[in-house]
Amino acid sequence: MAGTATPATTVLDRSGVSYRLHTYVHAKGTTRFGEEAADVLTARLGVDAVRILKTLVITASGGAATRPFTAVAVLPVTATLSTKAAAAALGAGRAAMADPAVARRATGYVLGGVSPLGPWCTGARPALPTVVDESVAAADTVFCSGGRRGLEIEIAPADLIALTGAVLTDLTR
């Protein structure tokens, strides 16, 4: 698909993993990015919203972590992140949502376009530990951000988990 290359699609192309891209026009001023994607994809494709994922950038610290670090949490847009569960899965004592500037710097993506797939999956950027909600594994395919607002990747959960090196856990509350 012309004009849709992002670091996320580059990771997928280099890996040889099968995926499909879905685009939509992002509504300017919208800040509920996951809900916007869910609204569009459920209306257009009849997809169950639990298959549409949000990618949250978090900062974890304490516990086994000797210093704070940035990580990625991936869960259905219909769910709420348990920062305690994310911290435990990452071996940290606590976790919180990362400051938007930290998220941009760590991922290279703008808010609303953060993909769980990025240059850190290939070693081109510092590693971002990733945790994925265990419910994701039950679907045939899931949808995650393609690296910019209005671009969604449809991918098999096993491929998403393998490419990100994610830990599966219950991330919701």
Side-chain angles (χ1 to χ4, degrees):
M1 197 174 278
T4 55
T6 66
T9 61
T10 299
V11 167
L12 291 167
D13 291 341
R14 287 183 182 163
S15 73
V17 164
S18 177
Y19 68 96
R20 287 185 61 199
L21 293 178
H22 301 274
T23 61
Y24 61 91
V25 177
H26 165 67
K28 300 279 187 230
T30 297
T31 57
R32 302 185 71 93
F33 307 109
E35 290 176 8
E36 178 185 42
D39 289 346
V40 170
L41 294 173
T42 56
R44 186 184 298 166
L45 303 175
V47 174
D48 187 342
V50 299
R51 291 177 48 208
I52 302 163
L53 309 178
K54 58 185 170 185
T55 305
L56 303 176
V57 181
I58 58 176
T59 301
S61 61
T66 56
R67 60 184 194 162
F69 62 94
T70 304
V72 174
V74 182
L75 62 157
V77 296
T78 57
T80 301
L81 176 67
S82 165
T83 54
K84 284 186 177 189
L90 293 164
R94 62 193 155 281
M97 293 300 297
D99 179 87
V102 170
R104 281 191 301 276
R105 200 169 36 256
T107 66
Y109 294 124
V110 297
L111 295 185
V114 176
S115 179
L117 301 159
W120 57 90
C121 295
T122 62
R125 275 187 165 226
L128 290 179
T130 302
V131 290
V132 173
D133 187 69
E134 62 192 9
S135 68
V136 169
D140 291 334
T141 61
V142 292
F143 298 77
C144 65
S145 176
R148 72 169 176 249
R149 296 172 186 155
L151 180 64
E152 293 290 312
I153 294 170
E154 182 177 2
I155 186 172
D159 291 333
L160 176 65
I161 293 161
L163 287 170
T164 59
V167 172
L168 279 180
T169 191
D170 180 1
L171 287 178
T172 63
R173 56 178 161 127

